[in-house]
Amino acid sequence: MKAIVYTEYGEPDVLHLQEVEKPSPESNEVLVRVHAVSVNYGDIIARNFKNLPAGEFNMLSLFRVFARIGFGFSRPKRTILGNTFAGEVEMVGSDVKQFKGGDQVFGYTGENMGAYAEYLSFPVDGIIAPKPSHMTYEEASAVPYGSTMALCLLRKVNIQKGQRVIVIGASGAIGSAAVQLASHYFGAEVTGVCSTQGMEYVKSLGAVRVIDYKNEDFTKNGESYDLIIDILGKGSFSKYKASLRPNGIYMPVSFKSSKLLQMIRTSVTGGKRVICALATPKQEDLRFIREFFEDRRLKPVIDQTFPLEKAAEAHRYVEAGEKKGCVVLTV
Ligand SMILES: NC(=O)c1ccc[n+]([C@@H]2O[C@H](COP(=O)([O-])OP(=O)(O)OC[C@H]3O[C@@H](n4cnc5c(N)ncnc54)[C@H](OP(=O)(O)O)[C@@H]3O)[C@@H](O)[C@H]2O)c1
């Protein structure tokens, strides 16, 4: 089968189309003929891990060490990237009852990656579900990462109907799903923060107000929020505190140890708090999210599609930082 393989860390040109052995499913796995896979933050980081300066890794330094061990210190151990997929089941392992050949599915492989390929063997107890019936494969591949992350994170902060939420980084994969879920599922009043190009898009997701961070500092407009979600964790509790309502929460989705310490400190002092949480999506989260897409309460958002063989070009486009929603490779 064809796959995009990388055997050294580096710039997008390390991604090459190659012929590799087609996987065969274990007894509890399905063999998926992949039709589409989205290019996510994790793909970009994993492709160039060795050369990534510590300061540009947005999470705890300890995670960087674990990730380097998992992905390989000097060379990548997992040579095929891609952590979401949408496709058709071609074959099932001997113990599989949930799926049969011909079923259309979508899913999330997490740090195991492997979806930049024509075929993927995937365990049925992993994050996999029937594809929402009206969606194209391209649309479906854009759903599993951002939506399940956003759902897990929003559940940790117990948002109530009518509360005011602001999402900083609202045009990206997790941010755009957080805007949609917070407004359409949790019933919050959502403000999105993004760059000028993303404003119309974020408005279309259900944000009642959109702020262009290049032209306006939301901490200076006198508004206050019950929840501030900071996707890239570029802000700080001290900067945002005055924009939080009493008992309001600052949730940096990307965080280093200083923010963890603030979480511990503010959990003791009470009042306005910092909550750092890790999203650990499960199959039931994807199945839950699927219903929202099935009845069209949420919509997948694709910025651009590239054929699989143009994976390097897709990576360059994502790295340029102007995507809105997801970039998808079609296989
Ligand atoms: N806590 C967890 O469990 C967890 C799980 C997964 C990922 N993460 C973290 O989430 C991050 C990736 O999120 P993602 O996949 O949604 O990334 P993404 O798709 O690349 O989106 C990030 C968005 O941030 C916006 N942005 C860039 N600079 C900004 C600024 N100065 N102010 C406001 N917005 C800005 C960009 O939009 P514009 O074009 O509008 O600038 C971009 O759309 C990573 O740091 C990763 O470590 C955390």
Side-chain angles (χ1 to χ4, degrees):
M1 69 166 185
K2 288 191 174 46
I4 294 290
V5 174
Y6 79 126
T7 51
E8 56 181 326
Y9 291 120
E11 296 300 310
D13 294 332
V14 296
L15 302 173
H16 297 290
L17 188 69
Q18 276 184 22
E19 204 60 44
V20 299
E21 201 177 327
K22 183 175 168 182
S24 46
E26 303 278 324
S27 56
N28 67 334
E29 290 183 336
V30 289
L31 180 69
V32 178
R33 166 85 173 86
V34 178
H35 286 278
V37 45
S38 69
V39 178
N40 295 315
Y41 175 82
D43 298 312
I44 305 292
I45 294 294
R47 193 206 69 228
N48 202 11
F49 223 152
K50 190 176 154 198
N51 309 312
L52 184 77
E56 282 180 32
F57 188 73
N58 284 345
M59 296 294 274
L60 292 173
S61 305
L62 190 64
F63 291 179
R64 185 166 182 270
V65 176
F66 286 140
R68 286 289 306 263
I69 294 167
F71 281 103
F73 268 95
S74 50
R75 291 182 168 277
K77 281 186 198 163
R78 295 159 206 172
T79 54
I80 301 178
L81 295 172
N83 59 16
T84 68
F85 62 89
E88 189 174 328
V89 173
E90 185 165 287
M91 194 195 288
V92 301
S94 53
D95 296 342
V96 174
K97 305 278 180 284
Q98 303 90 319
F99 297 104
K100 59 182 185 325
D103 284 350
Q104 299 185 343
V105 292
F106 70 151
Y108 178 65
T109 69
E111 66 275 13
N112 292 327
M113 301 282 184
Y116 287 9
E118 283 182 303
Y119 292 93
L120 174 73
S121 261
F122 197 73
V124 286
D125 55 0
I127 304 175
I128 183 171
K131 174 177 86 60
S133 50
H134 64 278
M135 272 190 190
T136 63
Y137 288 116
E138 288 84 353
E139 288 171 330
S141 74
V143 170
Y145 162 70
S147 305
T148 55
M149 293 294 160
L151 177 69
C152 290
L153 292 167
L154 289 172
R155 278 178 168 160
K156 309 242 179 203
V157 286
N158 192 23
I159 313 181
Q160 303 296 313
K161 196 165 181 226
Q163 284 192 328
R164 301 191 78 209
V165 174
I166 185 164
V167 179
I168 309 165
S171 64
I174 302 177
S176 56
V179 169
Q180 293 195 73
L181 280 168
S183 52
H184 302 308
Y185 172 58
F186 291 97
E189 184 193 305
V190 181
T191 297
V193 178
C194 62
S195 59
T196 321
Q197 307 90 293
M199 291 182 76
E200 277 309 308
Y201 162 66
V202 172
K203 187 109 196 154
S204 77
L205 301 175
V208 293
R209 184 146 188 253
V210 184
I211 294 173
D212 177 352
Y213 63 78
K214 291 187 177 154
N215 292 318
E216 184 183 338
D217 181 348
F218 80 88
T219 63
K220 301 214 166 100
N221 66 11
E223 301 286 337
S224 58
Y225 304 92
D226 298 288
L227 173 64
I228 298 177
I229 302 176
D230 181 5
I231 301 292
L232 296 181
K234 290 189 181 214
S236 65
F237 184 51
S238 55
K239 184 170 179 214
Y240 297 155
K241 201 170 172 185
S243 303
L244 282 173
R245 289 178 160 182
N247 300 319
I249 294 170
Y250 169 51
M251 176 182 243
V253 172
S254 310
F255 53 88
K256 301 255 188 195
S257 48
S258 57
K259 286 188 169 129
L260 264 189
L261 291 174
Q262 280 173 333
M263 177 165 93
I264 296 166
R265 188 171 55 75
T266 57
S267 72
V268 176
T269 54
K272 298 177 183 182
R273 280 180 302 150
V274 177
I275 293 191
C276 304
L278 282 179
T280 48
K282 301 197 168 46
Q283 186 180 104
E284 55 264 32
D285 298 318
L286 183 64
R287 286 180 178 269
F288 180 85
I289 281 286
R290 181 190 175 278
E291 298 306 313
F292 287 86
F293 286 93
E294 186 68 296
D295 64 16
R296 297 171 205 254
R297 275 179 285 168
L298 300 184
K299 58 181 179 186
V301 189
I302 297 176
D303 180 309
Q304 277 210 45
T305 58
F306 295 80
L308 182 68
E309 54 273 25
K310 297 224 162 128
E313 207 176 300
H315 272 230
R316 265 184 228 106
Y317 179 74
V318 171
E319 278 183 295
E322 290 185 4
K323 79 173 172 75
K324 292 170 257 339
C326 278
V327 167
V328 170
L329 300 175
T330 53
V331 186

